[in-house]
Amino acid sequence: MPDAYQVMLDAELSKAFDVWSGYLDADTGEDPQVRARLRSTWERARAAAAEGDLVSARAAVTDLYDEAREARLPWAPALPRPREADEQARDYAKDELREALPPPVRDALGIIAISLSVTARRLQSLPGLDCGTRQDILYITARARMALDLAHPRAARRELERLKVIARRWSTEP
């Protein structure tokens, strides 16, 4: 079975390459010298990734965001917030993981993801939940999503069961 974490890291890098490629190919009318430096940094990142030097590739991608921010380029990609970055990486990684994982594992992960989504949404919509319980729901849901990202159905099921305990306590589940 593939290393799901590595698949996610590769997906983050692929997403960044695509975002910056689209930006650099667009004619935004911004400072050509700054854009040339950004293109050079992007090419350095791509070359490092092609050589398998993912640490240098990720550092160069970070440099892209920093350079664009410092140059105050209004149309340049902004560094996504952590949740947004994770969602985008999951979107990129899902196809690769689907191809690499055995069908029973893929199916189990899909079933857990649906159940997790429904259970968490139902719990979050309950009136009268105290702050501590809401925090528990968010925490457990995040742990389950992380387990799903890492293609670990047993850990995801365990977290889903923890959510179901809360649901039973609040009488939202038969």
Side-chain angles (χ1 to χ4, degrees):
M1 191 155 85
D3 179 1
Y5 182 68
Q6 188 59 48
V7 170
M8 290 296 290
L9 290 176
D10 293 346
E12 287 176 359
L13 204 50
S14 294
K15 180 210 45 106
F17 287 157
D18 288 351
V19 167
W20 280 99
S21 175
Y23 168 73
L24 293 169
D25 289 345
D27 182 14
T28 60
E30 296 167 319
D31 184 345
Q33 290 179 328
V34 174
R35 288 178 62 84
R37 280 197 318 270
L38 290 172
R39 181 166 296 281
S40 174
T41 303
W42 178 78
E43 289 170 353
R44 183 171 37 104
R46 295 289 300 224
E51 294 170 3
D53 185 1
L54 300 180
V55 171
S56 295
R58 285 186 184 83
V61 166
T62 299
D63 291 345
L64 283 168
Y65 287 108
D66 291 344
E67 288 178 42
R69 189 186 69 249
E70 289 170 8
R72 290 183 164 74
L73 300 176
W75 308 114
L79 188 63
R81 297 186 52 86
R83 179 179 175 177
E84 181 182 45
D86 285 348
E87 288 172 352
Q88 292 170 359
R90 276 196 300 274
D91 190 44
Y92 267 69
K94 69 181 175 190
D95 296 331
E96 188 173 335
L97 279 173
R98 273 199 187 101
E99 291 175 16
L101 293 173
V105 174
R106 284 193 314 250
D107 293 346
L109 292 172
I111 290 167
I112 294 166
I114 290 168
S115 184
L116 174 68
S117 176
V118 169
T119 304
R121 197 172 331 143
R122 190 175 341 146
L123 280 169
Q124 286 293 348
S125 69
L126 287 175
L129 279 181
D130 59 271
C131 182
T133 302
R134 285 191 190 282
Q135 287 176 344
D136 290 346
I137 293 166
L138 292 172
Y139 177 76
I140 294 168
T141 302
R143 285 179 54 97
R145 286 189 179 130
M146 182 174 53
L148 290 170
D149 287 347
L150 298 174
H152 200 296
R154 193 172 77 233
R157 261 191 226 99
R158 186 175 52 242
E159 298 307 322
L160 179 58
E161 286 306 314
R162 290 175 70 194
L163 269 185
K164 288 180 178 181
V165 167
I166 295 172
R168 283 190 292 275
R169 207 173 339 142
W170 285 86
S171 301
T172 64
E173 198 173 89

